[in-house]
Amino acid sequence: MGDRSESDSRKLLRRLRDVLATPAKGQERLDRITHLIGDSMKTEVCSIYLFRDPETLELCATEGLKQESVHQTRMKLGEGLVGRVARTGLPVNTANAPAEKGFRYMPETGEEIFSSFLGVPIQRVGEKLGVLVVQSKDARAYSEDEIYAVEVVAMVLAEMTELGAFAGDGSAMGTRHKQPVTFRGSTGQEGAAEGRVWLHEPRVVVTNPVADDPLTEIDRIREAVGELRVSVDDLLAADSLDKEQKQVLEAYRMFAHSRGWLRRMEEDIQAGLSAEAAVEKEQSATRARLEQVPDAYLRDRLHDLDDLSNRLLRILTGQGKDTGATMPENPILVARNIGPAELLEYGRKLKGVVLEEGSVGSHAAIVARALSIPMVIHAERITTEALNGDVILVDGDQGVAHLRPEDTITRSFRDKIAMQAQAQERYSSLRDLPAETRDGQVISLQMNAGLMADLPSLVGSGAEGVGLFRTELQFLIRNQMPKRDELAKLYARVLDAARGQRVAFRTLDIGSDKVLPYMKPNDEPNPAMGWRAIRVGLDKPGVLRMQLQALIRAAKGRPLTVMFPFITEIAEFTAARSHVFRELHRENSLGHPVPERIEIGAMLETPSLAFAPQAFFDVVDFISIGGNDLKQFFFAADRENERVRKRYDTLNTSFLNFLEQIVERCKSTNTKLSFCGEDAGRPLDALALAAMGIPILSMRPASIGPVKALLRRVDLAQARSVIDRARAEGADCLRQPLTDWLSTQPE
Ligand code: PEP
Ligand code: MG
């Protein structure tokens, strides 16, 4: 950039800052700014378009176009050249605008006489706010320097828009972050909550976009980048990193050491921006460019660069995660993503969680489930929109979050919460009653658990023990392998809380979707059918043995129940079982008390085990059907793949026929049988499972009430005959016949 344009742009920015520093109404400021830009760039037209809603832009100020068109001229995202700039986030520069593809003629503005057009986005870190346009009569393309100068001005406008400098009448000039926005994502955990936003990582606020002294600013940015490089190098030096973390950090390091990045920021500073504004300008530009890239890998890198820019901004502004803000009452956590340990740290304080990313099977979702915190995932762009303290409604059932909702929405939402609370009250009145059907059959309802956070539910839910304790959660939420004594203490606390009720501890079930942060991940083509669960336990028995020792010590002589995950054949079970005996023997010889009784069971999660030889049924103490995995292998439908997951119904006749065979085999061999997949917690599915003869159902604590309420309403033998009749008539799914029958049953 030449010296002249450099000083021009600095001069322009200084004048711009003076306008912004003078008290004035939003409209007046915008008018002055368009005049100022037009004047200093020697263009006939300068216009500012702002978004009035996410799809529509509105002309908010102009120098050179007809004043009557201000607040009248509007265009859709993508429409015309202005709409194109807004949609792509990239500048459009043309000497002959009317000849451009997509040019839209707007007679009300008198635009046809202007031939050249330069439009640049007004955007702040990926948040599109509007478009800044300059136009001239003569047919000339604007120079690189001119484009750059307009971009720098647009950056300052973006910062000031964000700070509410142009707030005024009309939707497009409404103060930022004030309007209601609805985010449609997916369900992470059901439930509804009303509260106020608590940002996991609050946005950095830049209040000084323009700076007078480039030398000082350049010193600041160099120093901050230096600090950033050191911090990334430190992170990389940690030895607990897995391959993936390392790759991400390597990418960070590459960006942090990129000369181009620093050089561009220094140029921005030379043009008159402060160090902070320069970081944001480059962050926005890279985002806009990369958002055009369909490649997932590059998009991930976009996130990396974004993270890095945020770190740099935090170094520059001194605004850490802790901004000194106090957490509001009924906090709803809003974040791009969050790890299970961090979520657990917040604990039950949170009323809800809304994430931009995440997945149903993610560890954060598992924790949210354990804590019964409603959670919405895939709420795109919520971290850009939400501010700390904003009112927010989380509808985990629908996977929707309403930010700054209208009163009507809030009212109907509160009705929904009240209804749920009423139902909850009804369920808690059943807490101490058995799940006894009208015809006198008693089903044992137990709970699934895995975290200390689950323990209060043992008493609160009315569960008759823990049918599945997923021990891997304790491994997943840590940064390093837990120690034996630590685990022994924890398991002992679980047993204490159970007060003599049975707790089925399932040994470590890792692999597949559960990858320990501190273990080398295996690149397997198909991890769900790969080296997981008991397969890992038997091949590398160190951890399994340590866990068994911890369990035996935790029992302190009390009865103990151990369950092995993902057993597919008898040999695996007998091998796992002999590890138990070996450890019992060892603990005994070390003088530790051994459990007075020990039950050793297997999870039936693959069809093969249902066809195991008689000897298996003779030796196993109990079987628990892991319906989540069993269904995925029965139907060959990945449980993590939304597209196929819901395609096959648990009440599909073939699946129930299969369960019936398992029930028969267990009956004939006198083997205790339970079911502990998610389906056990869905009332109608639970009814079908009970009707098929499964006497123990283990589910999330929150499901016990609804399942019990339904079971107590029905005659189980009748439900079974509805199933049998429908099967005999050739129904391929029992959901409808059962639902129809249920609607005829008294409440
Ligand atoms: C199952 O597969 O049904 C089960 C209970 O185990 P997990 O969901 O932990 O794989
Ligand atoms: Mg499983």
Side-chain angles (χ1 to χ4, degrees), residues 448 468 470 472 506 509 513-514 532 603 605 625-630 639 676-678:
N448 295 347
L468 165 65
R470 290 182 164 105
E472 61 276 8
R506 174 176 78 181
D509 180 8
D513 59 318
K514 298 165 192 154
R532 55 174 289 198
M603 284 194 71
E605 305 189 87
I625 298 175
N628 307 335
D629 273 311
L630 186 61
R639 63 191 261 190
C676 64
E678 293 301 312

Side-chain angles (χ1 to χ4, degrees), residues 318-587:
Q319 296 172 24
K321 277 191 192 179
D322 185 8
T323 56
T326 40
M327 195 184 254
E329 267 186 46
N330 300 322
I332 308 270
L333 187 90
V334 172
R336 207 167 82 200
N337 213 342
I338 187 165
E342 287 170 306
L343 186 53
L344 210 57
E345 226 166 85
Y346 284 108
R348 285 186 203 278
K349 274 201 289 260
L350 298 179
K351 290 286 171 269
V353 179
V354 185
L355 301 181
E356 287 192 3
E357 297 172 2
S359 75
V360 184
S362 69
H363 305 144
I366 293 173
V367 171
R369 237 164 268 158
L371 297 169
S372 295
I373 300 174
M375 181 188 223
V376 171
I377 53 177
H378 305 153
E380 266 181 50
R381 298 176 45 75
I382 191 157
T383 57
T384 327
E385 265 298 338
L387 295 183
N388 265 346
D390 279 349
V391 171
I392 184 168
L393 311 176
V394 182
D395 186 340
D397 304 328
Q398 305 293 326
V400 171
H402 304 276
L403 185 66
R404 303 180 288 263
E406 314 258 12
D407 285 352
T408 46
I409 304 250
T410 307
R411 273 197 297 275
S412 65
F413 192 81
R414 284 185 184 155
D415 288 347
K416 182 177 163 156
I417 294 186
M419 268 164 57
Q420 286 183 346
Q422 261 173 13
Q424 220 48 54
E425 223 166 86
R426 199 153 39 86
Y427 300 144
S428 56
S429 70
L430 300 177
R431 198 186 61 189
D432 300 321
L433 299 176
E436 183 173 1
T437 62
R438 290 219 162 150
D439 52 337
Q441 303 196 50
V442 179
I443 306 298
S444 172
L445 303 186
Q446 308 190 354
M447 68 175 246
N448 295 347
L451 296 168
M452 295 313 281
D454 291 315
L455 297 186
S457 302
L458 247 168
V459 179
S461 67
E464 295 176 32
V466 178
L468 165 65
F469 190 91
R470 290 182 164 105
T471 59
E472 61 276 8
L473 295 190
Q474 294 301 332
F475 289 73
L476 284 167
I477 58 175
R478 285 175 164 74
N479 293 325
Q480 58 197 37
M481 183 77 78
K483 304 245 171 354
R484 181 185 54 199
D485 289 351
E486 218 180 316
L487 287 182
K489 271 196 201 114
L490 196 134
Y491 298 150
R493 277 174 66 193
V494 176
L495 288 170
D496 293 345
R499 300 189 199 150
Q501 284 184 321
R502 174 179 179 270
V503 179
F505 287 99
R506 174 176 78 181
T507 61
L508 195 59
D509 180 8
I510 47 156
S512 188
D513 59 318
K514 298 165 192 154
V515 181
L516 298 185
Y518 41 86
M519 256 170 96
K520 238 179 44 217
N522 279 294
D523 270 336
E524 291 188 299
N526 203 337
M529 295 202 264
W531 197 55
R532 55 174 289 198
I534 198 64
R535 298 170 182 179
V536 180
L538 293 176
D539 292 354
K540 294 236 180 283
V543 179
L544 177 66
R545 289 213 291 261
M546 180 270 274
Q547 220 188 350
L548 292 171
Q549 289 158 14
L551 284 168
I552 296 167
R553 288 186 193 184
K556 300 182 194 130
R558 292 173 282 191
L560 180 66
T561 304
V562 179
M563 173 159 89
F564 293 112
F566 214 67
I567 298 285
T568 54
E569 56 171 16
I570 180 172
E572 284 167 351
F573 181 71
T574 46
R577 190 169 170 266
S578 44
H579 278 298
V580 180
F581 291 131
R582 205 175 117 169
E583 295 316 320
L584 281 173
H585 185 73
R586 179 174 176 274
E587 290 299 300

Side-chain angles (χ1 to χ4, degrees), residues 567-686:
I567 298 285
T568 54
E569 56 171 16
I570 180 172
E572 284 167 351
F573 181 71
T574 46
R577 190 169 170 266
S578 44
H579 278 298
V580 180
F581 291 131
R582 205 175 117 169
E583 295 316 320
L584 281 173
H585 185 73
R586 179 174 176 274
E587 290 299 300
N588 191 28
S589 61
L590 289 173
H592 295 294
V594 292
E596 64 182 58
R597 220 172 42 244
I598 189 151
E599 251 190 317
I600 307 172
M603 284 194 71
L604 193 157
E605 305 189 87
T606 58
S608 66
L609 198 65
F611 302 95
Q614 172 70 25
F616 167 69
F617 291 86
D618 290 342
V619 74
V620 74
D621 289 329
F622 67 94
I623 288 175
S624 192
I625 298 175
N628 307 335
D629 273 311
L630 186 61
K631 232 174 98 181
Q632 103 167 322
F633 295 112
F634 187 78
F635 291 113
D638 186 344
R639 63 191 261 190
E640 288 291 316
N641 181 340
E642 287 295 314
R643 217 171 183 170
V644 296
R645 190 173 68 86
K646 293 197 183 125
R647 199 178 175 107
Y648 304 97
D649 198 316
T650 310
L651 302 195
N652 174 295
T653 305
S654 315
F655 191 58
L656 285 192
N657 288 346
F658 179 50
L659 292 183
E660 186 178 31
Q661 282 192 33
I662 300 171
V663 169
E664 291 309 322
R665 275 207 93 178
C666 287
K667 262 196 196 139
S668 68
T669 53
N670 210 9
T671 309
K672 180 164 150 184
L673 176 66
S674 60
F675 187 107
C676 64
E678 293 301 312
D679 295 326
R682 304 194 173 97
L684 193 75
D685 301 35

